[in-house]
């Protein structure tokens, strides 16, 4: 939403409205990161800049605290360019798409680990491999997909796939190393 607002093509009337697209279902972290006065001022400035600039700018950002939304965005993109890849991605991202939050994914893994640690490790490794394969497949097919939907949509799909890979790694590490906290995601 913010990018569309900055480029003057979205439905939002103000920067604040555009920034409402960043959800706050994580206890407020996302609100603190994006929905604040400095971000609002920056987004408004970008839009103003674009009104007179020869070279327009965009706003490409990712909500790193919303792996489920990133997973859905990748599946939706692939649904437009490659139906078989979309079905594979849905299966690969099932751990995030089926959970209310990535924390639920970690909790489910933890519950499984208490019952069978080896099975849990195998499940985590399989999830990692599957998430990485979705990203690799996007990159291998980038020129075909680019021709179908364009560079900006492909870039966003690849970046969202990166978020899912990073989130899976973070939650797996958090499960296997209990002293890991949210701040590691920011490194």
């Amino acid at each position: 939403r913010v990018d569309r607002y900055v480029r003057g093509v979205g439905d939002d009337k103000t920067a604040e409205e555009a920034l409402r697209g960043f959800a706050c279902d994580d206890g407020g972290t996302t609100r603190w990161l994006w929905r604040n006065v400095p971000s609002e001022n920056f987004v408004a400035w970008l839009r103003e800049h674009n009104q007179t600039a020869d070279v327009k700018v965009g706003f490409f950002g990712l909500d790193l605290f919303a792996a489920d939304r990133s997973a859905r965005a990748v599946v939706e993109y692939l649904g437009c360019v490659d139906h078989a890849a979309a079905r594979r991605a849905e299966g690969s991202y099932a751990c995030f798409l089926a959970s209310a939050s990535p924390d639920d994914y970690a909790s489910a893994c933890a519950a499984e680990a208490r019952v069978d640690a080896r099975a849990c490790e195998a499940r985590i490794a399989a999830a990692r491999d599957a998430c990485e394969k979705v990203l690799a497949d996007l990159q291998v097919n980038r020129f075909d997909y680019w021709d179908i939907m364009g560079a900006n949509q492909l870039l966003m799909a690849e970046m969202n796939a990166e978020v899912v890979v990073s989130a899976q790694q973070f939650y797996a590490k958090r499960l296997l190393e209990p002293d890991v906290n949210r701040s590691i995601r920011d490194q």
Side-chain angles (χ1 to χ4, degrees):
R1 286 175 58 175
V2 175
D3 182 59
R4 289 191 310 272
Y5 173 78
V6 164
R7 292 183 293 115
V9 296
D11 296 329
D12 296 310
K13 304 293 184 229
T14 67
E16 189 275 330
E17 281 182 32
L19 287 164
R20 288 182 194 162
F22 291 103
C24 296
D25 55 1
D26 59 2
T29 305
T30 304
R31 180 181 306 274
W32 176 79
L33 287 173
W34 294 109
R35 291 174 61 187
N36 56 53
V37 173
S39 294
E40 185 178 334
N41 291 343
F42 179 62
V43 168
W45 181 87
L46 289 172
R47 182 178 172 117
E48 188 176 309
H49 166 83
N50 278 349
Q51 291 172 346
T52 59
D54 292 333
V55 178
K56 309 286 188 215
V57 297
F59 185 94
F60 296 95
L62 298 165
D63 191 348
L64 298 176
F65 296 96
D68 56 325
R69 284 192 293 272
S70 286
R72 281 187 198 89
V74 173
V75 170
E76 287 173 17
Y77 172 81
L78 287 170
C80 295
V81 297
D82 186 337
H83 295 290
R87 285 189 299 279
R88 287 191 304 273
E90 258 181 342
S92 298
Y93 291 165
C95 57
F96 290 110
L97 296 173
S99 301
S101 74
D103 283 326
D104 291 342
Y105 165 65
S107 296
C109 289
E112 183 177 344
R114 284 190 285 277
V115 175
D116 185 349
R118 283 194 181 96
C120 180
E121 267 191 55
R123 178 178 170 200
I124 289 171
R128 180 198 62 234
D129 293 347
C131 291
E132 289 174 355
K133 177 136 180 44
V134 172
L135 174 60
D137 288 348
L138 273 167
Q139 293 168 335
V140 165
N141 293 299
R142 76 170 28 127
F143 295 111
D144 294 330
Y145 296 165
W146 182 323
D147 289 341
I148 297 169
M149 287 198 60
N152 286 344
Q153 296 300 320
L154 173 62
L155 172 66
M156 292 307 297
E158 286 184 4
M159 294 300 97
N160 276 302
E162 289 272 5
V163 167
V164 175
V165 167
S166 295
Q168 191 283 327
Q169 291 169 348
F170 167 76
Y171 286 103
K173 188 170 190 74
R174 189 169 153 206
L175 171 65
L176 299 172
E177 300 174 32
D179 59 336
V180 171
N181 62 36
R182 286 187 177 268
S183 65
I184 195 167
R185 209 176 354 188
D186 300 328
Q187 295 177 358

